[in-house]
Amino acid sequence: MAKLKVAALMQHLRRHAKHAQCRRSFLERAQMRAAVDAEQRLTFLGVGSSCGKPAFALPYPLTWTEAALDRLEHLAEQHFCYVEYGQLAHLKRRVDDRELLAVQDWTPFGVVYVRAEYPLADTLLRDLTVTLQPEDAPESTAP
């Protein structure tokens, strides 16, 4: 698997962050954002303002339950991570404590923020989407 398609946009945004007053650079970034359509069939929402990671909409509402947290912790172990519980649930790598993914349930649908440059980001995003799918959701919502 590979980094997310949106990784190039994220690198461009970081590289040109100091061009806040450059109209041309702003338009370039806007066009790049418009060209990103989806990852793992999840709608690209934009970039998380505080975390700077791309945000994607889960195709179902997310409600945290004991069972959902058990599945999330199992997924974290499969990806050599642990779950850090704060305002959001975060998957952090055990080896270097680097955050790879965060999941929020504050909207009518779940939102996933994922480190686009992580070499297995698309696999992690796919696995998370399947892992958190509600048990009563139709099969067609899974990627």
Side-chain angles (χ1 to χ4, degrees), residues 55-94:
F56 299 93
L58 289 173
Y60 45 75
L62 177 62
T63 302
W64 291 120
T65 63
E66 289 290 333
L69 293 178
D70 287 345
R71 292 191 311 268
L72 182 65
E73 289 176 357
H74 181 71
L75 173 70
E77 289 174 16
Q78 290 176 320
H79 287 270
F80 306 100
C81 293
Y82 67 94
V83 180
E84 179 180 88
Y85 297 104
Q87 296 298 324
L88 308 177
H90 299 88
L91 264 62
K92 296 180 94 175
R93 275 197 308 211
R94 290 192 184 282

Side-chain angles (χ1 to χ4, degrees), residues 4-126:
L4 297 182
K5 294 179 282 187
V6 74
L9 170 62
M10 301 310 298
Q11 290 170 344
H12 187 271
L13 291 173
R14 287 187 197 101
R15 195 170 36 249
H16 296 288
K18 295 182 179 116
H19 298 171
Q21 295 182 359
C22 179
R23 179 181 175 153
R24 190 187 74 206
S25 184
F26 176 78
L27 286 173
E28 286 174 9
R29 290 191 302 273
Q31 290 168 350
M32 287 180 78
R33 276 194 321 268
V36 175
D37 106 26
E39 298 276 356
Q40 296 295 333
R41 297 192 287 180
L42 301 182
T43 302
F44 175 56
L45 299 174
V47 178
S49 60
S50 64
C51 66
K53 293 180 187 66
F56 299 93
L58 289 173
Y60 45 75
L62 177 62
T63 302
W64 291 120
T65 63
E66 289 290 333
L69 293 178
D70 287 345
R71 292 191 311 268
L72 182 65
E73 289 176 357
H74 181 71
L75 173 70
E77 289 174 16
Q78 290 176 320
H79 287 270
F80 306 100
C81 293
Y82 67 94
V83 180
E84 179 180 88
Y85 297 104
Q87 296 298 324
L88 308 177
H90 299 88
L91 264 62
K92 296 180 94 175
R93 275 197 308 211
R94 290 192 184 282
V95 67
D96 60 5
D97 218 34
R98 188 166 197 189
E99 182 181 311
L100 299 181
L101 181 142
V103 186
Q104 69 102 338
D105 63 332
W106 303 347
T107 55
F109 52 88
V111 177
V112 179
Y113 303 89
V114 62
R115 185 171 302 283
E117 301 86 3
Y118 173 54
L120 299 173
D122 62 345
T123 302
L124 182 58
L125 189 58
R126 181 199 65 216

